[in-house]
Amino acid sequence: MPKDKPLDYQSEPSRDDLQLIVRKDMPFNAEPELPNLVQHYLTPTKYFFCRSHGPLPQLNDDHTISIKGIGLASEFVVSVKQLKSDFKEKTIEMAMQCAGNRRDGLHKVKFTKGVIWGPGAIGNASYTGCLLKDVLASIGIDKKLENISSLHLAFQSVEQCEEDRCYGSSIPLSKALDECGDVLLAYKMNGEPLTRDHGAPIRVVVPGYIGARSVKFLKSMTIQDFESESYFQRKDYKVLPNEVETEQQAADYWHKVASIGEYNVQSYVCDPPDGMVKNYGGPIKVRGYALSGGGRGIQRVEVSGDDGITWTLAHFRQQPKCDTHTTNVWAWSLWEADIHVKRNTRIVCRALDSANNIQHEHPMWNYRGVMNNSWRTFDSEKRENSNL
Ligand SMILES: Nc1nc2c(c(=O)[nH]1)N[C@H]1C(S)=C(S)[C@@H](COP(=O)(O)O)O[C@H]1N2
Ligand SMILES: [Mo]
């Protein structure tokens, strides 16, 4: 879709209180230093990555959201004020992870298109709002709707983006209505009103799914029998086949490849941040994060200081509060391990989730650089310096 008008970044918020490495200024994209990221179980907002695709709008609680589409006789409009006063409040703890987290690892293999994120395009927060299923139920949309398995709920945002007229995305309607799906229309993050960087005054949060589906500055929702037609659903956030290396080649593939919903199993060594201690061999404490998508919990994390020959079981510093056997797990686990490192050798970790998905050694390169969950890789320069 063409742009309406040139993007104007004059009214961006002050970001003086954020402690982030800026990957792109306009639109604003930034991630934390790795040791800061794993200091707290709930990531303080100052260390929470920001992923935007356009200038941020300025809205207040009078802002309204419209809901229309299949199953609805007319369009419904609800204000943020009403969402706060008329619906039960719910808080969930969940990890928000960009599908492009760790794109840098794939970019070392071959050019990838996108912001070159390190392993910090992730955070774990508490989000407070109302359950989307309650809002839908209040206008007569529930699991009794016919053909529910073929329906989607598409979200549209307020702000114009670089790639499209607004930010947009969709999820299966069944996810939105799932009793245990916990999809929220959120107005708070970590107990505070959402900041503009994170979607004030209202955003969707879709636990277990890639961050791209958690649409900020929500303006409208549509129940429809096709996926969102947004650029961000159709021409982005897809794992293209390995042979696709250019924009031109990608054009033939977008419609053939599934959009990403749930993210995959993931873990990373964040401390020491370089994943190696130069010119040192011996005992060391390492720390990192681990999580998996779709409500799958983490069974175990293993760490190796000898490039994957031997592995040590990590212990969890903090895990999700819920019973990880009976319910969906949306939050990450923070872990720690005492290992022995070989001199100038990368420290790698691998997590095993509740469905026994495990991280593999070699990266699965794809043109958009998404869903990288391989063991840590080093670029050739570092390898030479370190005799890896
Ligand atoms: N309106 C809007 N929603 C959006 C985006 C955006 O650019 N605009 N980016 C998406 C992507 S790709 C991610 S990873 C998450 C990031 O959420 P955060 O900035 O709060 O960390 O928001 C998603 N929702
Ligand atoms: Mo993202």
Side-chain angles (χ1 to χ4, degrees):
M1 242 184 254
K3 286 182 204 165
D4 287 344
K5 50 184 193 296
L7 300 179
D8 176 4
Y9 289 94
Q10 297 294 310
S11 314
E12 290 289 284
S14 151
R15 296 183 170 113
D16 295 345
D17 48 344
L18 302 184
Q19 290 185 37
L20 299 171
I21 311 161
V22 177
R23 297 288 179 214
K24 191 175 179 181
D25 225 356
M26 292 181 293
F28 186 67
N29 287 284
E31 67 182 300
E33 305 275 358
L34 289 180
N36 290 340
L37 180 60
V38 291
Q39 241 181 59
H40 307 270
Y41 186 69
L42 290 180
T43 314
T45 307
K46 68 176 177 188
Y47 297 146
F48 208 99
F49 85 103
C50 299
R51 193 341 171 199
S52 57
H53 289 81
L56 306 188
Q58 281 176 290
L59 308 166
N60 60 37
D61 282 5
D62 292 322
H63 170 70
T64 57
I65 299 158
S66 80
I67 315 173
K68 56 184 187 299
I70 295 173
L72 294 171
S74 61
E75 182 173 332
F76 285 82
V77 177
V78 60
S79 69
V80 176
K81 270 190 186 140
Q82 283 172 299
L83 290 176
K84 287 182 174 175
S85 63
D86 298 359
F87 295 91
K88 207 172 131 197
E89 191 168 274
K90 167 134 189 177
T91 297
I92 60 164
E93 291 184 1
M94 65 165 245
M96 178 76 70
Q97 181 177 215
C98 182
N101 189 31
R102 304 186 54 202
R103 179 173 288 129
D104 61 344
L106 298 179
H107 198 70
K108 282 175 212 156
V109 178
K110 211 167 19 177
F111 174 84
T112 56
K113 185 191 163 204
V115 175
I116 305 303
W117 293 108
I122 182 171
N124 192 58
S126 77
Y127 292 95
T128 302
C130 46
L131 282 164
L132 176 54
K133 75 171 179 57
D134 291 349
V135 178
L136 292 173
S138 77
I139 54 173
I141 300 295
D142 57 28
K143 287 208 155 153
K144 293 196 275 298
L145 192 66
E146 230 176 285
N147 295 329
I148 200 160
S149 59
S150 62
L151 298 180
H152 304 259
L153 184 62
F155 306 115
Q156 294 88 30
S157 82
V158 170
E159 94 279 22
Q160 196 189 323
C161 295
E162 283 187 313
E163 300 87 344
D164 207 335
R165 196 161 285 158
C166 68
Y167 189 86
S169 210
S170 60
I171 58 171
L173 183 63
S174 58
K175 167 73 178 171
L177 295 178
D178 185 349
E179 287 296 317
C180 304
D182 289 334
V183 182
L184 297 185
L185 298 184
Y187 40 79
K188 283 187 197 167
M189 177 176 168
N190 292 334
E192 298 287 333
L194 281 178
T195 61
R196 282 175 64 204
D197 277 316
H198 297 294
I202 195 82
R203 78 175 301 174
V204 185
V205 293
V206 186
Y209 276 49
I210 58 166
R213 308 299 170 229
S214 291
V215 174
K216 305 190 269 194
F217 319 110
L218 182 65
K219 182 174 148 196
S220 56
M221 295 189 257
T222 315
I223 300 170
Q224 54 193 43
D225 54 9
F226 50 89
E227 275 190 297
S228 164
E229 291 179 297
S230 160
Y231 176 93
F232 305 100
Q233 190 79 21
R234 298 282 176 112
K235 303 200 162 164
D236 202 347
Y237 302 111
K238 294 189 175 191
V239 181
L240 294 168
N242 194 268
E243 70 262 25
V244 176
E245 296 179 336
T246 64
E247 207 55 36
Q248 226 172 0
Q249 291 168 336
D252 292 333
Y253 272 95
W254 290 121
H255 66 287
K256 297 180 197 160
V257 177
S259 56
I260 307 167
E262 297 172 359
Y263 50 82
N264 47 6
V265 63
Q266 177 73 285
S267 72
Y268 205 78
V269 171
C270 295
D271 208 353
D274 294 337
M276 185 199 295
V277 193
K278 275 251 169 86
N279 300 318
Y280 169 82
I284 181 182
K285 195 180 277 304
V286 304
R287 288 177 158 195
Y289 62 73
L291 72 163
S292 190
R296 292 176 289 279
I298 293 297
Q299 287 192 51
R300 63 171 179 263
V301 177
E302 295 164 303
V303 191
S304 174
D306 57 11
D307 210 24
I309 297 165
T310 60
W311 297 87
T312 302
L313 209 55
H315 73 264
F316 293 112
R317 288 167 54 209
Q318 214 167 337
Q319 279 186 292
K321 280 194 223 111
C322 54
D323 179 343
T324 55
H325 298 289
T326 57
T327 55
N328 286 316
V329 177
W330 308 129
W332 70 8
S333 297
L334 292 183
W335 54 264
E336 191 169 84
D338 290 301
I339 60 163
H340 192 92
V341 290
K342 233 171 109 179
R343 183 176 282 263
N344 294 336
T345 301
R346 64 176 174 167
I347 306 166
V348 291
C349 61
R350 62 179 186 196
L352 186 75
D353 76 10
S354 56
N356 293 305
N357 298 303
I358 197 166
Q359 293 171 258
H360 296 285
E361 177 168 12
H362 297 291
M364 196 167 113
W365 182 89
N366 61 89
Y367 175 61
R368 286 296 279 106
V370 285
M371 300 289 263
N372 183 20
N373 70 343
S374 76
W375 302 356
R376 185 187 206 118
T377 49
F378 283 112
D379 53 37
S380 46
E381 194 188 333
K382 267 197 187 150
R383 266 171 194 267
E384 274 161 33
N385 290 343
S386 62
N387 304 319
L388 249 186

